[in-house]
Amino acid sequence: MHSQLFKTYSASASQSFLRVIWMIHDHHLNIWVNNVQQFQDKKFIVSGFQFNGEFGFGVEGKKCDEGEFFLISSFGKERVFAGISYVHTRDQHMTWSLSGPQIPQSPFLITSCQDIEYFECGFVEFFPSGEAEKIFSRDGERNYPILSKSFIGILRFGYDGFFMFKYYFKEKPYLEEKVFFSEWNIEAGLVTGL
């Protein structure tokens, strides 16, 4: 159905490559926030997508954390002390409560990984794997959390193309790179540009 929209990429992800990806991202809180509602003074309800762990906290079963986190947005990187707790899941979106200082305008990334430094977003050239094409046909237009060796991000599939939010470790290293769906642990395809 959507095959006219993009060229497919022949996926040949080795298990060892996928293990390297998970070793980089494992045990870190990583939550992409695309909606914020102020609940009380210095308390917010945020919704978005998690990258790893059942609820975004980097390990299975963990539902809350408190400590030093980084908020990364188009306005830069801010170190904050905050508490965050899982609230619920609805329609592929998760919701958390966040207590702490003022937070940036969404979208932004909440992370415990101090090595994530650089943010950018825009349209990309994306060559989906055969599995990704099936997922796009099944799920349609939406946001997909993705992982790579050099960044975590959100791939937004739409009929006007592929838009990506990328949060890089240290600096922008590659012109093209394999990416994986964090939700299903399968290769999504090859991204170039941005």
Side-chain angles (χ1 to χ4, degrees):
M1 175 177 147
H2 301 292
S3 60
Q4 300 84 2
L5 296 175
F6 40 75
K7 300 176 203 168
T8 58
Y9 163 72
S10 175
S12 59
S14 69
Q15 288 299 320
S16 61
F17 186 78
L18 193 54
R19 274 194 299 277
V20 168
I21 298 293
W22 281 106
M23 283 174 26
I24 293 169
H25 301 289
D26 212 11
H27 305 295
H28 286 289
L29 178 141
N30 288 307
I31 296 170
W32 185 71
V33 174
N34 64 350
N35 190 19
V36 175
Q37 296 177 346
Q38 188 154 2
F39 178 60
Q40 296 173 345
D41 184 40
K42 296 189 179 184
K43 284 198 173 204
F44 304 88
I45 299 296
V46 298
S47 62
F49 297 91
Q50 56 86 12
F51 290 90
N52 50 355
E54 188 177 2
F55 303 106
F57 295 94
V59 293
E60 296 303 315
K62 189 172 184 180
K63 292 187 174 184
C64 62
D65 203 354
E66 183 176 80
E68 184 177 79
F69 302 109
F70 300 92
L71 307 179
I72 303 170
S73 70
S74 60
F75 301 105
K77 179 178 179 179
E78 182 180 353
R79 181 186 305 226
V80 297
F81 185 85
I84 185 164
S85 300
Y86 168 77
V87 177
H88 74 276
T89 302
R90 182 204 278 154
D91 299 328
Q92 300 165 340
H93 272 80
M94 291 186 140
T95 303
W96 298 266
S97 65
L98 177 65
S99 60
Q102 282 298 110
I103 57 177
Q105 183 178 358
S106 62
F108 62 91
L109 179 73
I110 302 172
T111 184
S112 62
C113 180
Q114 65 183 357
D115 293 332
I116 298 176
E117 293 286 343
Y118 181 70
F119 164 78
E120 67 181 350
C121 65
F123 282 96
V124 295
E125 191 166 4
F126 182 69
F127 301 96
S129 66
E131 278 296 308
E133 192 171 298
K134 291 175 191 173
I135 290 169
F136 296 147
S137 293
R138 180 190 72 207
D139 295 349
E141 294 187 54
R142 67 168 261 218
N143 295 318
Y144 297 89
I146 57 170
L147 304 171
S148 81
K149 280 187 175 179
S150 66
F151 69 88
I152 65 174
I154 295 291
L155 177 66
R156 181 175 290 160
F157 166 62
Y159 293 104
D160 55 347
F162 293 97
F163 191 89
M164 191 171 283
F165 296 87
K166 290 183 176 180
Y167 300 86
Y168 288 98
F169 298 102
K170 300 297 183 195
E171 58 192 49
K172 182 178 171 180
Y174 305 110
L175 294 177
E176 65 178 39
E177 190 166 356
K178 287 182 192 179
V179 295
F180 295 82
F181 291 116
S182 67
E183 188 173 353
W184 301 292
N185 297 333
I186 60 171
E187 188 170 342
L190 185 69
V191 64
T192 63
L194 194 68

